[in-house]
Amino acid sequence: GVKVDIDALNSMDKILTKKIKELAENIPVENPRSPKQVAKMLLGMGFHLPKTEKGNYKADEPTLQALSDVTDSDEKKKSLDDLMEYRFHHKLKSTFIDGIREVMDKHHYIHPIYFIAKREEYEEKDEEGGTTSGRLSCKRPNFQNIPRDKEALPREISPRRMFIPRYRGTHIIASSDFTQAEVILAGIYHKDSKILSMYDSGGDLHTQIAAEVFGLKPENVSKDQRKAAKTVVFGVLYGQTEFGLSKRLGWTEQKAKEFIRDFFRKFPELKRGIDEAKHFIIRNGYIESYFKRRRHLPGASDDTPYGRELLRSGINAIIQGGAADLCKISMWSLFLELDLFNSFMVAQIHDEVTCEIDKRKKGEFCELVKRLFSNPGLKDYGLEPFPLKIRGEVEMGLNFLELGEKYVF
């Protein structure tokens, strides 16, 4: 289980409760979480709202954000922003304060349950929330809901800071992760020599890809250019449409289409590999990841919206399923040796493997992670070894948030 810092939990509870109360005073409805009440308020303010398939007015977060982006009235914008902020803080409290209290035992431990869906592989999720990509799902609580970006929230309301070592005097938290695993797995699976060469050079892969696409030197790539290239890379690998990418980047659909075209001109081997994977799915009704995880996709085609959605899921499964299996193989190898270091595994969050380690042995632990993660024991599973070493890092600190010490391999 994972130890909860009850003082941090109580502090977050007070801060969020106060913030929610303050925001509620500025929202002229009884229940700001009620779509019906909020829709009535927005209509009264003169907004035009889209409707759901059942004919009800939509008042969810994407709708509120879209209205906030286009309104010229500072007063209306503030009302919308207050409403979104209220809902955000309320969800944070219900999920990570009330939710943690509900499952925490009397010794202030939580015991997350990890599982993989076992229903039909062509279904996205089972009734318990499992995924068919091979990624671990989690409940009681769902650790996968914790923001991946450690800087996404102010420290005082970040759920990560409440999770601590059980032996605070002698142990620290260590989070191990791969560097850009999805992209390098795509390069390996689709046999893209340019991506493999960039990764093997040791530089930031997304910066190098952006430099290639924009025709720049890596040191001249801006943050916005790197972000655009990264978004397009993941969009392409996960089968996202030009329309979807345009929405994520705030571009026109035509600009997204041209950027994807330019990207594939620079990486023709990746384009060919993805096209071959699509043809394989259509012919055979399934796809396999590098780790031989098979995803059945009967009905996949390029002719209908449903068929194209299945194709998208298949391209996604190659990469997301591959990254999940790489993580599980490395987790298992690590688990088998942790006892030797007076350390133990406590959680897996977004493909990060989190352990509690004896701080006197942190150097040996980091070397262990480097050995197991950079050269996963694929032969033990009847798989071909990777053509290059996988890079990664170990972040260490006093809780799940404050991981200030970093070991890169």
Side-chain angles (χ1 to χ4, degrees), residues 214-364:
F214 288 106
L216 301 170
K217 293 182 178 179
E219 59 267 25
N220 294 331
V221 172
S222 69
K223 288 183 178 180
D224 286 343
Q225 288 171 326
R226 182 187 183 278
K227 180 182 177 182
K230 181 178 179 179
T231 301
V232 169
V233 168
F234 279 105
V236 165
L237 297 184
Y238 290 148
Q240 196 169 28
T241 64
E242 293 149 359
F243 176 77
L245 282 171
S246 69
K247 290 297 182 184
R248 289 198 64 185
L249 290 165
W251 291 353
T252 64
E253 194 169 346
Q254 181 61 30
K255 183 177 179 180
K257 182 178 182 179
E258 291 172 357
F259 194 95
I260 294 171
R261 181 194 62 202
D262 292 342
F263 171 78
F264 278 136
R265 282 177 179 169
K266 297 290 185 178
F267 297 92
E269 292 174 322
L270 182 64
K271 168 67 171 170
R272 183 171 61 250
I274 291 173
D275 288 342
E276 288 175 355
K278 288 181 178 179
H279 294 320
F280 183 93
I281 294 169
I282 292 171
R283 287 196 313 270
N284 299 283
Y286 72 91
I287 192 68
E288 283 186 348
S289 74
Y290 187 89
F291 300 91
K292 306 305 179 185
R293 177 177 295 279
R294 182 172 293 193
R295 176 81 183 274
H296 290 280
L297 299 153
S301 74
D302 233 346
D303 302 327
T304 65
Y306 175 70
R308 286 190 290 272
E309 179 61 21
L310 288 175
L311 271 183
R312 183 202 64 77
S313 297
I315 299 303
N316 184 333
I318 294 171
I319 307 306
Q320 197 173 62
D325 287 329
L326 174 61
C327 181
K328 292 201 293 289
I329 287 172
S330 302
M331 278 178 66
W332 180 246
S333 300
L334 183 60
F335 173 77
L336 294 176
E337 298 197 36
L338 280 178
D339 282 351
L340 300 174
F341 299 87
N342 190 26
S343 304
F344 41 90
M345 200 172 290
V346 293
Q348 191 254 31
I349 309 172
H350 306 298
D351 294 335
E352 299 172 11
V353 182
T354 303
C355 298
E356 186 172 323
I357 66 171
D358 187 332
K359 60 185 179 183
R360 296 170 301 178
K361 297 179 178 291
K362 63 183 180 182
E364 298 169 64

Side-chain angles (χ1 to χ4, degrees), residues 123-288:
E123 294 186 12
E124 282 294 336
K125 292 188 175 183
D126 73 358
E127 64 273 10
E128 292 187 306
T131 66
T132 56
S133 66
R135 297 184 106 174
L136 290 177
S137 290
C138 181
K139 63 181 181 180
R140 297 184 59 82
N142 183 0
F143 261 180
Q144 310 301 352
N145 281 337
I146 295 177
R148 183 178 191 128
D149 184 356
K150 297 178 181 65
E151 299 178 1
L153 295 170
R155 180 187 181 278
E156 62 269 18
I157 60 170
S158 174
R160 284 179 173 266
R161 79 179 179 100
M162 74 171 74
F163 304 121
I164 59 174
R166 67 184 71 183
Y167 305 117
R168 297 183 79 171
T170 58
H171 285 61
I172 57 174
I173 297 296
S175 177
S176 307
D177 198 6
F178 294 100
T179 300
Q180 297 154 344
E182 291 93 342
V183 184
I184 191 57
L185 282 171
I188 294 171
Y189 188 92
H190 296 303
K191 298 180 174 63
D192 190 298
S193 57
K194 187 180 289 187
I195 288 179
L196 296 180
S197 176
M198 286 178 171
Y199 186 85
D200 207 28
S201 71
D204 179 77
L205 186 55
H206 294 302
T207 299
Q208 292 183 77
I209 290 174
E212 183 76 13
V213 174
F214 288 106
L216 301 170
K217 293 182 178 179
E219 59 267 25
N220 294 331
V221 172
S222 69
K223 288 183 178 180
D224 286 343
Q225 288 171 326
R226 182 187 183 278
K227 180 182 177 182
K230 181 178 179 179
T231 301
V232 169
V233 168
F234 279 105
V236 165
L237 297 184
Y238 290 148
Q240 196 169 28
T241 64
E242 293 149 359
F243 176 77
L245 282 171
S246 69
K247 290 297 182 184
R248 289 198 64 185
L249 290 165
W251 291 353
T252 64
E253 194 169 346
Q254 181 61 30
K255 183 177 179 180
K257 182 178 182 179
E258 291 172 357
F259 194 95
I260 294 171
R261 181 194 62 202
D262 292 342
F263 171 78
F264 278 136
R265 282 177 179 169
K266 297 290 185 178
F267 297 92
E269 292 174 322
L270 182 64
K271 168 67 171 170
R272 183 171 61 250
I274 291 173
D275 288 342
E276 288 175 355
K278 288 181 178 179
H279 294 320
F280 183 93
I281 294 169
I282 292 171
R283 287 196 313 270
N284 299 283
Y286 72 91
I287 192 68
E288 283 186 348

